[in-house]
Structure formats: structure tokens, C-alpha cells
Amino acid sequence: MKFFRNISYKKNIAYLFSCAIFFMLTSCEEDLTNNKGKNNKNFASQIINNANIIQRDSGFVTMRAKAPIIEKYELIDSPYTVARKGVNILFFDKKKPKTPGTIKAKYAKFYDYKQFYEARGDVRITTNENERFAMQTVFWDQRKKRIYTKDTVYVTMKDGSTLIGAHGMTAKDDFSEYVFYQNSGDFTTDKLSEKQK
């Protein structure tokens, strides 16, 4: 008889123990589902170290970008790519394929859906015509094919003349046209007379 009592006592303990485990697991499950909506999805889904990216259009290389680290944030509503430690970009024009323009910055960000770029921190742009632009921030709306900034822009033209746009500039993204706001600089008289003709 004692033997059967021990077995039934052990069965009761095993039953109670399994009930306790069941309730612990179901209560944990509920906590996980409640917190699921609060999870932060703004983390890098891809990280590329020592990135060397080449972009082509119909076989023609249009851009080469190098960066120490590139992070892609793809799991959020407005995906973006960021180069926090700087970027060095060569961009090529079919008219002058052997003479690329360059963009260098300490920080760059690209918004995928908007097709919108921003570069910050000692931004340096050199066109394939050897015109050099220096500013702190610049924005490129790829859809509208416009580049703009509200920062002071320092420009050195290929003939050595300089120009300062105190309140920024706007330009076509190929730099074939640009407008400076509240500008000053040193131009040669030959250059000024050419523009008046």
C-alpha cells in the first residue's frame, strides 16, 4: 500500500510541476507578443566594411564609391544607406569618360525611395571641368537632377578665379548650370566682358 501511495504522491507532484511549467510558458508567450509591436527596427540590416561600389548604366560605369563603412537600414518605412566615416565618390560623364568628377565628404546619407542624397562635413566637389567647390553640406535630389546648399560655397574655377556664394547655391547635377546667392569673388575683366556679350 505504501508503495502505491508514494507513486500517486509522485504523480501529483509531477502533475503540479507540469502545470506550473505550462503556465510559465504561456505567460512568457503573452509578454513576447505584447512587446512585439514595440521592437525597434531602426538597425543596420547590412554592414559593408571597406566598401568599393561600382554603379553602371548600360555597361558604362557612372559612379565608383569608396567608404570605410557603409550601413544599410532596410527594415523601416523610409529605408536609407549611410556612410558615417566618410565617402569618396568618382562620377563619370559619357562626354568625358576618362576625366571623372569627385565628391568627398566626412558623412553621407542616401534615402532609397526619395532618391535623395546628403553629404556633410568638409564637402569637396571637383567637376570633370576641374572646377572645385567647397562647402559644409550639400543635398542632391536625384529625381529633379538638382544639387543645392544654403551654406557658404567657395568655388575655384579652372582659370584660377574664385567665387564665394555667401548664402548657398543651386545647380544642375552635372554642374552645367549653377546659381549662387549673394556672391562675391575675383574674376578677370576678360571673363566679365565675355559674359556681357
Side-chain angles (χ1 to χ4, degrees):
M1 274 292 215
K2 252 185 178 181
F3 178 70
F4 289 114
R5 276 189 197 162
N6 279 343
I7 290 176
S8 82
Y9 178 71
K10 287 180 181 176
K11 279 185 182 177
N12 287 341
I13 290 176
Y15 175 74
L16 288 172
F17 185 68
S18 63
C19 286
I21 289 175
F22 172 76
F23 286 116
M24 281 174 43
L25 289 175
T26 55
S27 66
C28 288
E29 245 180 71
E30 287 175 21
D31 288 341
L32 287 174
T33 55
N34 288 341
N35 291 332
K36 202 172 195 178
K38 297 176 186 174
N39 285 347
N40 183 5
K41 294 179 182 177
N42 193 12
F43 60 88
S45 55
Q46 290 184 41
I47 298 173
I48 306 167
N49 289 306
N50 298 318
N52 187 5
I53 298 168
I54 298 171
Q55 187 177 55
R56 297 174 194 270
D57 180 13
S58 304
F60 176 75
V61 175
T62 57
M63 183 190 77
R64 289 179 185 266
K66 289 186 177 185
I69 186 166
I70 290 180
E71 300 168 321
K72 291 180 73 82
Y73 292 79
E74 301 170 298
L75 305 175
I76 54 176
D77 293 337
S78 298
Y80 63 91
T81 304
V82 66
R84 295 182 198 283
K85 294 188 177 181
V87 68
N88 185 359
I89 299 172
L90 298 175
F91 55 94
F92 297 85
D93 185 359
K94 287 184 180 178
K95 294 173 189 172
K96 284 191 165 186
K98 293 185 179 180
T99 312
T102 62
I103 300 174
K104 294 179 183 179
K106 290 184 177 179
Y107 173 91
K109 192 172 187 179
F110 172 65
Y111 297 91
D112 297 1
Y113 291 148
K114 294 179 186 176
Q115 293 184 344
F116 188 84
Y117 290 84
E118 69 176 86
R120 298 182 180 276
D122 292 332
V123 180
R124 301 289 181 262
I125 300 173
T126 304
T127 68
N128 59 6
E129 297 288 335
N130 202 29
E131 296 171 336
R132 296 186 303 276
F133 297 77
M135 63 212 82
Q136 285 303 307
T137 59
V138 71
F139 303 96
W140 176 26
D141 189 330
Q142 198 173 12
R143 286 181 182 160
K144 293 180 180 177
K145 297 187 175 183
R146 301 299 294 175
I147 290 176
Y148 62 90
T149 183
K150 291 184 178 178
D151 290 347
T152 301
V153 181
Y154 300 91
V155 185
T156 305
M157 306 305 242
K158 58 185 172 186
D159 66 356
S161 59
T162 59
L163 178 69
I164 299 170
H167 290 281
M169 74 164 198
T170 182
K172 281 190 174 179
D173 62 0
D174 62 356
F175 286 94
S176 59
E177 292 177 14
Y178 38 82
V179 176
F180 297 94
Y181 302 105
Q182 289 191 356
N183 53 14
S184 63
D186 73 9
F187 282 93
T188 61
T189 52
D190 295 338
K191 188 143 187 139
L192 286 173
S193 60
E194 280 177 24
K195 291 204 174 205
Q196 288 173 352
K197 288 180 184 177

